[in-house]
Amino acid sequence: FALAAAVTAVFITLLISPAQADPRADEAKTIVKTFAQTLQGELKAALKAGGPTQAVDVCHERAPAIAAELSTKTGWEVGRTSLRRRNAGNTPDDWERDVMMQFEQRKAAGEDPATLAYGAVVDDAQGKRFRFMKAIPTQPVCLTCHGGDSVPAEVEAKLRQYYPDDQARGFKAGDLRGAFTLAKPAG
């Protein structure tokens, strides 16, 4: 239950500064909360049933499926990204990379990583869109798969199987693991 409480606290703390207030941000925060709670519930069940290697299976199979299901249901493009990605499909675009770098600077300036969020109307290759990102801080439980030397051998083998170009290692508790990223037409 400590795992559930820690993960839930991280993912449910969804704040955006008043200067960035936009009704679309509220909608995006609700989608992020749904994504986080769904994934967290499935990870909790996998950890209980089969330990960390089964949790890796859930992240590999279910996280992209949850994002796709939410995208279909809500009309938003829903995903996750990171500067140190595990999955090539989660490579940040230029806008996401810039926002992640801003998150890193804000964290270095003392902001709580759990509160880092940003939304803006962006004119990009897909047209004018509202884009939103919410940081995902690394919790102690995340270190089982995203830590440095402490990754168990069986987890290491599973990660190599699924993610041969894995860059999502060496995190410490409190580091920015990545971010939820959402977009929809601004019209």
Side-chain angles (χ1 to χ4, degrees):
F1 291 89
L3 164 67
V7 173
T8 300
V10 168
F11 290 126
I12 294 180
T13 306
L14 302 171
L15 300 176
I16 189 164
S17 71
Q20 299 166 327
D22 185 302
R24 293 170 290 202
D26 291 336
E27 184 180 355
K29 289 188 281 186
T30 299
I31 295 166
V32 168
K33 181 178 176 181
T34 300
F35 190 158
Q37 286 179 330
T38 303
L39 182 57
Q40 181 263 328
E42 292 189 25
L43 283 170
K44 179 182 168 190
L47 284 166
K48 185 176 181 182
T53 57
Q54 194 164 332
V56 173
D57 290 335
V58 167
C59 277
H60 177 71
E61 297 166 16
R62 288 296 300 147
I66 293 166
E69 291 162 9
L70 285 170
S71 294
T72 299
K73 181 180 176 182
T74 66
W76 286 75
E77 294 172 31
V78 179
R80 295 175 303 155
T81 191
S82 179
L83 294 174
R84 291 169 37 200
R85 58 146 182 89
R86 174 155 280 164
N87 178 338
N90 292 351
T91 301
D93 64 22
D94 291 340
W95 185 84
E96 291 166 331
R97 187 175 301 104
D98 289 346
V99 172
M100 289 292 300
M101 296 299 293
Q102 290 173 21
F103 284 174
E104 289 287 357
Q105 291 170 352
R106 290 168 60 188
K107 178 186 173 287
E111 284 189 59
D112 180 354
T115 67
L116 299 175
Y118 181 76
V121 174
V122 177
D123 197 5
D124 60 20
Q126 283 112 16
K128 198 171 203 172
R129 301 185 304 153
F130 181 78
R131 299 193 68 184
F132 181 84
M133 289 179 66
K134 166 69 181 91
I136 304 171
T138 304
Q139 294 299 304
V141 70
C142 302
L143 300 177
T144 303
C145 298
H146 291 285
D149 299 332
S150 62
V151 175
E154 65 276 6
V155 172
E156 176 75 37
K158 182 70 77 164
L159 292 172
R160 263 188 268 122
Q161 174 189 344
Y162 287 143
Y163 310 108
D165 297 319
D166 183 15
Q167 299 171 12
R169 300 291 190 80
F171 288 94
K172 295 183 240 72
D175 287 347
L176 291 178
R177 170 60 199 98
F180 293 100
T181 181
L182 292 84
K184 72 182 249 180

